[in-house]
Amino acid sequence: MDESDGWWSKVFDDVRMPYNVDGFSVPNSTLVDEFDEEMVLPKKEIVDFSDVFTTDEIFESRDELLNWVRGIAMDHGFVVVIMRSDSGGIDRKIKLILGCERSGKYRPYKSELVRNVTGSRKCECPFRLRGRPLANGVGWKLNVVCGVHNHEVAESLEGHPYAGRLTVEEKSLLEDMTKNMVKPQSILLTLKDHNVHNVTTIKQIYNARTAFRKSERGPRTELQHLMNLMEHDNYLYWHRRAETSDVVRDIMWAHPDAVKLLNLFHIVLIIDTTYKTNKYRLPLLEIAVVTSIELTFSVAFAYLEHFGLMNAIQSVFPSSYNLLCQFHIAKNVKVKCKQLVAPSTLHQPVMDAWMSVIQSPTEVDFDDRFAQFEELCPPTFFDYVNKTWITPHKEKFVAAWIDRVMHLGNTTTNRVESAHARLKRLLQDSRGDICNCWDAMNNLIILQHTEIKASFQRSIMNLGHQFNNRLYVEKVHAHWRRLTFTDQISEAECAGVTLHLELNELERRFDEFNMDGKVAFKYKVRELAFPNTTSMCPPPEKVRKKGSTKGQSQTESSTKRDPSFFEYVDAMQSPNDSNSTRPSSSILHTKTQKRKKVMPMLDQFPTVMHDFIESVVDVARDGNCGYRAISALLGMGEESWPIIRQELYREICYWHHDYAQLFGDEQRC
């Protein structure tokens, strides 16, 4: 045995005897009980910190002792935790046993049939300290039971759970930033900016955010918490349930200040829907309004199960004038132009003629320009435009008709789509529940209202320069002269709205019911009086929140909309076409990623067949799977199937007689 062996033997002799601290036995099973010269010694460092923690200092309290020990330990690269503590009592002594975080032995859960944990930090480290109060009860004393570690100390404490715990101040900062929809990565960077010694990891940030949200909600269900939030901020809201269950069918809410603004700026309402905002995949309807200073604000949000927007507008606002978005109409016409008009050199002249038709200032100009448009277009394309847009809807988007009403220059839905984009930036992903969506919408409204108030004040304070041409303010429409958040409803009008008649009728009906009827009636009225006790529940989830399947698209949690049909068509245009606004290649390959399957028996097939098996494209089952398969295999993405269908239709129409002879029947082709 050489000198190094003697050094190892001496170290283990020092810690060979088991320690017993108030009934707590320090295990020595991992220590070498009997040294064998032929045994290969483990190559790990044995570190003794007895001198570091040996002190005669008297600590004023238990917490002061703990803070001192943990600070010293972290400075030397390890973490000290409380192994056992007792505050004393009848026939019990006050004690505090401290140890290394790697002390003890891993104990698997009894319910685990298959062990999922493949490793553990626990290595039965013998390091022990003991804190005890002085006999006179004033102060605490620290004793070193065993100062040896059977493992190397860490160079950095990142990844150590206890070392990365958040302080009270850090938790408060995290909660504030979570409320304001700050991303977890930004929260972590902010904490590290405030404290250069912070070793918190991103996983601990996620865990702290989740714990905070659960503590906010408490025992309430998702919709009970939503009702509580809206009641707290005095929101106006409406909801409907499914006919045969408590599942929410439609829900709509509006901020009280947004309703005040709507009473002032109610000339134009811009309505549009968006998708991919929540884990239930409910479409979101947003209503936006423009103020006198050309700023947009959101009036109301609604999650609706079914849409019948055109019919609903005619029913709810029978005297209003319904306009259609010129931008989207032009895009749809452009798609058909590229599909039905040949050669491609005619695309731009045809679209210029179409835009001239839309901007016709009078009906006479419209008739002349539409006649010129007909001469320029092939019959198939003209029939599409005439039957789809002009005949049924020209009064809703052609300038000759829509300029007869005051639309304040809003002939597209671009304003509300910009509001969609701002909302989705706050949402961050589409895996949140309705409460998360409400938080983002509430923050969006606060930002909008702050910007509007500041702009109102700037408009009031700024004094215009005087010119020779006098502007008669009284001639300006009232919409452009309103620079306030306060509506014009008087206190007398508010006092005139009461519930006396309705409450009396409710009491009368309640008295007429039998016992069962009274219970059911009281249950309904109770939900009106106490909305946070609602029994409504959200629809089933349609997005996986945890884990992922092989080949699962990474865009499932994204709030980014799917490409529109006209974007697919633009993407298919030749790059030499100067008129093409060619999008990035990602549009062409959206959803074209092959769904990678788990094939446990693939090795049972000959190797030469593997490529054919793995390259199978499993398209969506919606009745268009044939078109989807062709589109996917051509590299266009299965969502481009309408292009394949249209090309096939054009092919059959152009060679109709040849296909009739091929199939032997006119009806078969």
Side-chain angles (χ1 to χ4, degrees):
M1 186 183 304
D2 58 15
E3 294 180 1
S4 61
D5 291 338
W7 181 85
W8 276 90
S9 179
K10 184 178 184 302
V11 170
F12 283 106
D13 284 339
D14 291 339
V15 296
R16 187 189 314 275
M17 297 303 294
Y19 297 94
N20 190 285
V21 184
D22 290 339
F24 183 85
S25 178
V26 179
N28 58 7
S29 58
T30 58
L31 305 182
V32 178
D33 291 330
E34 184 176 350
F35 186 77
D36 188 351
E37 294 183 359
E38 298 180 358
M39 182 181 67
V40 179
L41 294 172
K43 296 182 179 181
K44 58 182 180 180
E45 183 180 359
I46 301 298
V47 187
D48 190 353
F49 289 102
S50 300
D51 295 338
V52 175
F53 290 95
T54 300
T55 177
D56 295 329
E57 182 178 354
I58 305 299
F59 301 95
E60 293 183 359
S61 65
R62 178 179 180 271
D63 292 338
E64 183 181 344
L65 183 148
L66 277 174
N67 293 335
W68 184 85
V69 170
R70 285 170 174 168
I72 297 296
M74 289 184 182
D75 291 341
H76 288 81
F78 64 97
V79 176
V80 170
V81 296
I82 299 175
M83 302 294 296
R84 180 175 296 178
S85 177
D86 195 335
S87 58
I90 301 176
D91 298 331
R92 297 202 320 272
K93 295 181 179 180
I94 300 176
K95 61 184 176 182
L96 177 65
I97 307 299
L98 306 177
C100 176
E101 66 171 347
R102 303 190 66 180
S103 300
K105 187 176 181 180
Y106 171 72
R107 298 178 182 178
Y109 292 103
K110 295 181 180 179
S111 59
E112 284 187 354
L113 298 178
V114 178
R115 183 169 297 185
N116 297 320
V117 180
T118 58
S120 172
R121 296 189 305 273
K122 302 295 184 181
C123 65
E124 300 186 71
C125 177
F127 180 84
R128 293 291 184 277
L129 302 176
R130 176 182 175 180
R132 58 183 179 80
L134 297 179
N136 57 8
V138 180
W140 282 68
K141 182 71 176 175
L142 179 68
N143 294 329
V144 178
V145 179
C146 176
V148 176
H149 292 272
N150 64 350
H151 58 85
E152 296 180 357
V153 295
E155 295 181 359
S156 173
L157 293 178
E158 270 86 2
H160 292 253
Y162 182 84
R165 286 185 183 181
L166 301 177
T167 63
V168 176
E169 294 78 9
E170 289 173 336
K171 285 184 179 180
S172 177
L173 179 60
L174 178 140
E175 292 172 1
D176 292 338
M177 299 181 74
T178 301
K179 290 178 182 178
N180 295 322
M181 313 299 290
V182 179
K183 294 182 178 180
Q185 293 87 345
S186 301
I187 296 176
L188 180 60
L189 292 175
T190 302
L191 294 178
K192 290 185 178 296
D193 285 341
H194 286 202
N195 180 10
V196 294
H197 301 294
N198 183 283
V199 292
T200 304
T201 62
I202 191 65
K203 182 178 179 181
Q204 289 174 306
I205 296 296
Y206 278 107
N207 292 342
R209 280 161 46 98
T210 302
F212 167 64
R213 286 172 175 162
K214 287 183 177 180
S215 66
E216 269 198 326
R217 183 171 300 184
R220 293 187 293 266
T221 64
E222 177 182 336
L223 287 180
Q224 286 176 351
H225 184 53
L226 176 64
M227 296 298 176
N228 186 65
L229 291 173
M230 292 192 290
E231 285 289 324
H232 180 269
D233 288 349
N234 298 321
Y235 269 70
L236 306 178
Y237 57 90
W238 302 263
H239 55 79
R240 290 187 297 188
R241 309 181 188 211
E243 295 181 357
T244 58
S245 68
D246 285 334
V247 175
V248 63
R249 176 183 173 187
D250 308 312
I251 185 167
M252 177 179 180
W253 57 76
H255 194 280
D257 287 342
V259 176
K260 292 180 181 179
L261 283 175
L262 177 62
N263 291 332
L264 297 171
F265 307 102
H266 51 265
I267 294 177
V268 178
L269 298 182
I270 308 172
I271 306 175
D272 191 32
T273 59
T274 187
Y275 303 87
K276 300 174 74 173
T277 61
N278 58 90
K279 65 183 180 181
Y280 307 114
R281 286 298 183 254
L282 290 173
L284 174 66
L285 175 74
E286 184 172 0
I287 304 174
V289 175
V290 58
T291 66
S292 57
I293 50 179
E294 293 291 325
L295 291 180
T296 305
F297 68 92
S298 302
V299 177
F301 298 91
Y303 284 113
L304 304 179
E305 184 180 26
H306 300 293
F307 282 104
L309 196 55
M310 301 290 285
N311 296 332
I313 290 176
Q314 294 177 2
S315 175
V316 179
F317 304 109
S319 59
S320 65
Y321 202 93
N322 181 19
L323 306 183
L324 298 179
C325 178
Q326 290 182 346
F327 173 81
H328 288 94
I329 293 175
K331 286 297 184 181
N332 287 327
V333 172
K334 186 177 181 180
V335 167
K336 287 297 180 181
C337 176
K338 292 179 178 180
Q339 293 178 338
L340 302 177
V341 177
S344 60
T345 54
L346 288 177
H347 292 171
Q348 191 61 37
V350 169
M351 289 307 300
D352 290 341
W354 169 251
M355 296 307 297
S356 178
V357 170
I358 291 179
Q359 301 300 331
S360 301
T362 63
E363 294 186 37
V364 175
D365 292 331
F366 169 78
D367 293 335
D368 294 340
R369 296 179 183 183
F370 194 57
Q372 296 174 6
F373 178 76
E374 182 178 7
E375 294 176 359
L376 188 61
C377 299
T380 53
F381 177 64
F382 178 79
D383 289 343
Y384 159 76
V385 171
N386 189 37
K387 295 179 180 179
T388 306
W389 298 110
I390 296 299
T391 300
H393 302 300
K394 64 182 178 182
E395 295 85 0
K396 298 178 181 179
F397 68 92
V398 178
W401 283 272
I402 66 175
D403 285 349
R404 297 174 184 175
V405 297
M406 190 175 181
H407 53 65
L408 305 178
N410 296 286
T411 58
T412 68
T413 58
N414 292 349
R415 285 185 177 274
V416 70
E417 288 182 353
S418 297
H420 291 337
R422 294 182 66 182
L423 173 63
K424 288 186 175 182
R425 283 195 293 270
L426 292 174
L427 281 173
Q428 301 177 13
D429 61 53
S430 60
R431 296 177 297 179
D433 57 18
I434 299 180
C435 293
N436 297 133
C437 297
W438 183 90
D439 286 334
M441 295 170 193
N442 188 55
N443 290 338
L444 173 65
I445 291 172
I446 292 173
L447 294 175
Q448 289 176 345
H449 292 181
T450 302
E451 185 178 6
I452 291 172
K453 290 178 181 178
S455 185
F456 280 168
Q457 290 303 312
R458 285 196 300 268
S459 300
I460 293 172
M461 290 187 297
N462 290 347
L463 300 177
H465 298 290
Q466 298 296 328
F467 297 97
N468 294 330
N469 297 329
R470 184 180 179 184
L471 177 63
Y472 293 92
V473 178
E474 62 273 7
K475 298 294 184 181
V476 178
H477 192 277
H479 173 87
W480 305 109
R481 290 187 277 122
R482 290 169 180 157
L483 297 172
T484 179
F485 245 73
T486 307
D487 53 16
Q488 304 300 320
I489 300 176
S490 63
E491 295 183 3
E493 291 177 317
C494 293
V497 180
T498 65
L499 281 174
H500 299 315
L501 180 62
E502 289 78 7
L503 292 176
N504 292 334
E505 179 63 18
L506 287 175
E507 290 183 359
R508 186 191 64 80
R509 292 188 59 190
F510 180 78
D511 294 335
E512 292 178 353
F513 287 121
N514 57 19
M515 185 60 183
D516 295 335
K518 286 183 177 181
V519 172
F521 190 77
K522 181 179 179 180
Y523 178 76
K524 294 180 180 180
V525 175
R526 180 177 177 80
E527 285 203 352
L528 290 175
F530 307 101
N532 55 0
T533 62
T534 181
S535 60
M536 281 195 308
C537 58
E541 295 182 22
K542 294 187 179 180
V543 178
R544 287 173 55 92
K545 293 189 65 178
K546 293 186 178 180
S548 61
T549 57
K550 296 264 185 185
Q552 183 181 4
S553 173
Q554 297 297 320
T555 61
E556 275 198 18
S557 62
S558 172
T559 59
K560 186 177 180 180
R561 65 173 177 83
D562 296 330
S564 301
F565 181 54
F566 70 81
E567 292 175 296
Y568 283 114
V569 176
D570 285 344
M572 290 301 299
Q573 274 200 335
S574 170
N576 298 325
D577 187 356
S578 60
N579 299 323
S580 171
T581 57
R582 187 174 179 82
S584 63
S585 59
S586 61
I587 291 180
L588 269 178
H589 297 286
T590 301
K591 298 184 180 179
T592 61
Q593 302 295 331
K594 295 179 182 178
R595 295 182 175 90
K596 195 172 181 180
K597 304 179 182 66
V598 179
M599 299 180 180
M601 299 185 66
L602 184 63
D603 56 352
Q604 303 296 323
F605 294 87
T607 307
V608 294
M609 298 179 63
H610 288 189
D611 292 339
F612 299 98
I613 298 173
E614 292 176 336
S615 62
V616 172
V617 179
D618 185 13
V619 298
R621 301 184 296 272
D622 62 350
N624 300 302
C625 53
Y627 304 120
R628 287 181 177 273
I630 296 173
S631 177
L633 292 175
L634 288 177
M636 299 166 57
E638 65 177 80
E639 295 300 323
S640 298
W641 66 266
I643 299 177
I644 303 299
R645 182 177 179 180
Q646 184 65 31
E647 292 294 331
L648 180 60
Y649 175 75
R650 292 175 61 184
E651 170 76 10
I652 293 176
C653 290
Y654 190 79
W655 303 100
H656 181 76
H657 297 293
D658 295 324
Y659 281 108
Q661 293 179 3
L662 178 64
F663 291 106
D665 190 352
E666 289 277 348
Q667 296 181 352
R668 295 185 62 186
C669 62

